[in-house]
Amino acid sequence: MSARDASPPVPAYYEWQQAELALPGSLALFKGGELSGVEIAYRVAGARGAPVVAALGGISAGRNVFSLQPESPGWWEEAVGPGRALDTDRYRVIGLDFLGGSHRTTGPQPGEPFPTISAFDQARVLVALLDHLGIERLQASVGASYGGMVTLALAQAHAERVRHAVVLSAAHRTHPMSTAWRSVQRAIVRYALSHGEGARGLVLARALAMATYRSAREFEERFSGPPEATADGFRFPVEAYLLARGESYAAQYRPEAFVCLSESIDLHRVEPGAIRVPTTLIGVKEDQLVPIADMRELRDRHGGTCGLVEISSIYGHDAFLKETEVLRDVLSRALD
């Protein structure tokens, strides 16, 4: 384990542990092959001795789920923290950097081959971390988007390690239309990498992805203004927004990691009938990536107790980042 990162000032009754865990030997991967020298970056933060909840987000999310420093917010700052929907005065929250991602956990490096990663591999890594920390069972795994897929894999393959699964905007399979969009994104990045322009390819891929995260109604309300004439032709308000989001993303993440985890999303499959862990699903009617029909199918085929909360949100697939009051109500019932 490495030396711990510098921690912000925290209440005396809080645990605040950041470190890296080196897995011994090789990690056998769900889709074949193995990976040696795996290091997992993680953080545990919250009330000392409190029940533990894993908080897992999209492929760009990581161990910094929330922060006590306003200048450096976590990726789920609106929902997790003292007094928030996932209240860290009542729970300890585990966050980790995904295997194959752009953060400090082992992932692909420029020009080097990297094996295929499954949500089941992420679940195994989480279980290894629980073993290391001496945590027999999570009170819950709360997963959104890719993190929801990992939560479902955890519930199927390691049911004894989690009391409750809370899954936001993820189903038992990836919808073919979503795979269609992501396949084009990966093709853009791979083409750009082959021409030494990986970062630029990631800008364009992320811009395309942003068009799928939100709802048509939000775009209508925000970007219906007239285009601006430039020397290169007209520039539309929505175009400027998408490319700006792409530029911001590419400044922080590696194109190779984007390809790895984007593919992992599209490989996602669990067997609903094999899941016995009590599960709460949250589906968004405007979600373009995870149709509400797939969430209903997961509920209906689930092998145990499963409830589905359907919400309507202008934020579409990104509702889990925005609809904090809905999350507060759902999480309080699921965790209690």
Side-chain angles (χ1 to χ4, degrees), residues 110-177:
E112 297 180 5
F114 198 80
T116 298
I117 299 299
S118 164
F120 284 98
D121 298 321
Q122 309 288 4
R124 282 193 61 197
V125 163
L126 176 56
V127 168
L129 178 57
L130 297 180
D131 289 342
H132 170 73
L133 295 171
I135 298 169
E136 182 177 344
R137 202 176 189 192
L138 292 170
Q139 181 72 11
S141 180
V142 180
S145 190
Y146 185 59
M149 299 175 184
V150 175
T151 293
L152 288 168
L154 177 71
Q156 176 176 320
H158 307 279
E160 73 285 356
R161 307 307 295 267
V162 59
R163 295 180 185 276
H164 201 111
V166 181
V167 177
L168 302 88
S169 295
H172 56 292
R173 58 140 192 179
T174 300
H175 194 279
M177 180 57 76

Side-chain angles (χ1 to χ4, degrees), residues 56-126:
L56 310 171
I59 63 172
S60 56
R63 67 192 183 280
N64 295 320
V65 181
F66 76 102
S67 173
L68 298 177
Q69 299 173 302
E71 66 275 12
S72 56
W75 65 265
W76 216 358
E77 195 74 22
E78 296 298 319
V80 183
R84 297 182 185 134
L86 180 48
D87 188 354
T88 53
D89 287 343
R90 299 181 60 201
Y91 300 99
R92 286 179 291 163
V93 172
I94 287 184
L96 74 161
D97 296 348
F98 285 130
L99 184 67
S102 283
H103 300 298
R104 282 169 54 179
T105 288
T106 300
Q109 300 300 313
E112 297 180 5
F114 198 80
T116 298
I117 299 299
S118 164
F120 284 98
D121 298 321
Q122 309 288 4
R124 282 193 61 197
V125 163
L126 176 56

Side-chain angles (χ1 to χ4, degrees), residues 166-238:
V166 181
V167 177
L168 302 88
S169 295
H172 56 292
R173 58 140 192 179
T174 300
H175 194 279
M177 180 57 76
S178 302
T179 299
W181 285 322
R182 278 187 293 266
S183 295
V184 174
Q185 294 163 30
R186 292 193 295 273
I188 290 170
V189 175
R190 286 172 173 141
Y191 179 84
L193 282 168
S194 71
H195 288 75
E197 295 285 348
R200 185 57 188 167
L202 186 55
V203 169
L204 299 176
R206 180 65 174 183
L208 176 57
M210 287 299 302
T212 70
Y213 294 156
R214 301 295 180 87
S215 71
R217 183 159 62 94
E218 184 194 18
F219 275 35
E220 169 69 21
E221 292 180 4
R222 293 180 62 185
F223 305 117
S224 59
E228 175 189 0
T230 72
D232 298 322
F234 283 93
R235 189 175 180 86
F236 296 87
V238 70

